[in-house]
Amino acid sequence: QVQLVESGGGLVQPGESLRLSCAATGTIFSIGDMGWYRQAPGKQRELVARITSAGSTNYADSVKGRFTISRDNAKNTVYLRMLSLKPEDTAVYSCYGNIRRTSRNPWFTDWGQGTQVTVSS
């Protein structure tokens, strides 16, 4: 069984920072891409950032220059550092990982439970 456990969400004021963490635990042979999506009320889910196992990154235009995604492969953990937060960043943030349980299993996308980020004065 694989679980992705997120932490780090909360309520902050505009301009402040947060760091989200997402740790994959359980039976894991290999992890490929990891990343973060977000969904605000009444809006479509949006890919915020993703990172390959080699460290290549992609970001949504709306967060470029403010958010940084990183990962610690030894800890099976992905991070999202969010600076200069804006009210429009308010959403539920969910992490994902493309994971193989064993060398004989196919890749499977696992998801975290989601963490609320609220940016408000």
Side-chain angles (χ1 to χ4, degrees):
Q1 179 126 2
V2 172
Q3 283 190 310
L4 271 64
V5 181
E6 299 157 349
S7 60
L11 171 64
V12 296
Q13 295 188 343
E16 294 186 337
S17 303
L18 278 175
R19 189 178 83 152
L20 306 182
S21 300
C22 172
T25 62
T27 303
I28 297 172
F29 172 74
S30 181
I31 303 180
D33 290 3
M34 302 184 81
W36 294 88
Y37 277 81
R38 68 184 180 186
Q39 187 164 25
K43 294 188 176 181
Q44 286 192 326
R45 189 176 67 172
E46 173 188 31
L47 176 63
V48 178
R50 65 183 172 194
I51 184 168
T52 69
S53 57
S56 297
T57 58
N58 296 98
Y59 296 92
D61 287 342
S62 58
V63 307
K64 282 181 181 176
R66 300 187 299 121
F67 290 12
T68 302
I69 189 170
S70 61
R71 65 191 284 171
D72 184 334
N73 291 331
K75 296 181 179 179
N76 292 336
T77 299
V78 63
Y79 306 95
L80 185 67
R81 179 67 171 165
M82 305 184 290
L83 304 178
S84 302
L85 282 161
K86 305 175 182 180
E88 51 263 44
D89 294 318
T90 296
V92 174
Y93 285 70
S94 299
C95 68
Y96 76 90
N98 293 327
I99 297 173
R100 293 178 73 187
R101 272 82 168 145
T102 72
S103 60
R104 286 183 284 182
N105 284 120
W107 293 98
F108 186 82
T109 301
D110 291 281
W111 293 89
Q113 77 282 4
T115 186
Q116 178 70 45
V117 171
T118 303
V119 185
S120 175
S121 56

